[in-house]
């Protein structure tokens, strides 16, 4: 576990790759605005996993941005999830970098499955548990051809979910599919 100089546990891991990620996201034109194709992907991800919330999440040095978002109401911009995590106020697609589990996935560069976040002391203390009520999370990194982890795709639920090995394989396969879509965009094929 990582601690700050005062001895407190840091909930968000140190991210040495953030500057390279920001450069790559800018090259690709990602992480600044909602994208209908990513919203559609998030919707499909929710359908496949049965999760009420799903996201295509790009992470920079300070925040997370849901370029693709699916909520229980089926809306793409009207999410209490993003608004609450951003500190209340209006509805948004941004979340502080120290909220949620995707920053861990990006730094680890491996999928993460938390069937009940409360079973893991490191993750149970994350602000999204109390502020939003997240109890279950599953996410996979989006590692592009340059080797940079751009962000994640993820699903969350306010109930405990037995994702299991099938869920892990699904989220990893869908992450690979989205990375291929991003590559086709970069190559001008979409």
């Amino acid at each position: 576990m990582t601690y700050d100089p005062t001895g407190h546990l840091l909930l968000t891991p140190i991210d040495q790759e953030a500057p390279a990620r920001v450069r790559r996201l800018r090259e690709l034109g990602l992480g600044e605005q909602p994208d209908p194709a990513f919203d559609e992907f998030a919707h499909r991800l929710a359908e496949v996993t049965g999760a009420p919330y799903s996201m295509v999440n790009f992470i920079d040095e300070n925040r997370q941005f849901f370029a693709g978002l699916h909520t229980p109401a089926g809306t793409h911009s009207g999410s209490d999830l993003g608004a609450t995590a951003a500190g209340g106020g209006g509805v948004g697609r941004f979340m502080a970098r120290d909220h949620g589990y995707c920053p861990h996935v990006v730094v680890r560069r491996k999928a993460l499955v938390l069937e009940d976040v409360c079973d893991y002391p490191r993750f149970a203390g994350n602000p999204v548990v109390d502020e939003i009520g997240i109890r279950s999370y599953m996410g996979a990194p989006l590692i592009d051809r340059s080797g940079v982890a751009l962000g994640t795709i993820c699903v969350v639920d306010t109930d405990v979910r037995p994702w299991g090995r099938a869920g892990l394989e699904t989220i990893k396969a869908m992450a690979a599919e989205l990375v291929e879509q991003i590559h086709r965009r970069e190559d001008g094929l979409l």
Side-chain angles (χ1 to χ4, degrees), residues 76-147:
H76 295 134
S77 59
S79 171
D80 288 342
L81 180 72
T84 304
V91 172
R93 288 184 180 245
F94 298 94
M95 183 182 287
R97 195 175 175 285
D98 63 348
H99 284 57
Y101 310 105
C102 290
H104 293 271
V105 171
V106 166
V107 170
R108 290 168 27 119
R109 301 173 65 86
K110 290 175 32 178
L112 177 64
V113 177
L114 302 170
E115 294 181 347
D116 183 349
V117 298
C118 295
D119 287 345
Y120 303 88
R122 176 177 198 152
F123 298 118
N126 196 286
V128 296
V129 174
D130 292 332
E131 293 177 18
I132 303 170
I134 298 302
R135 285 297 301 273
S136 183
Y137 170 90
M138 182 169 58
L142 299 170
I143 301 173
D144 83 340
R145 65 177 116 202
S146 72

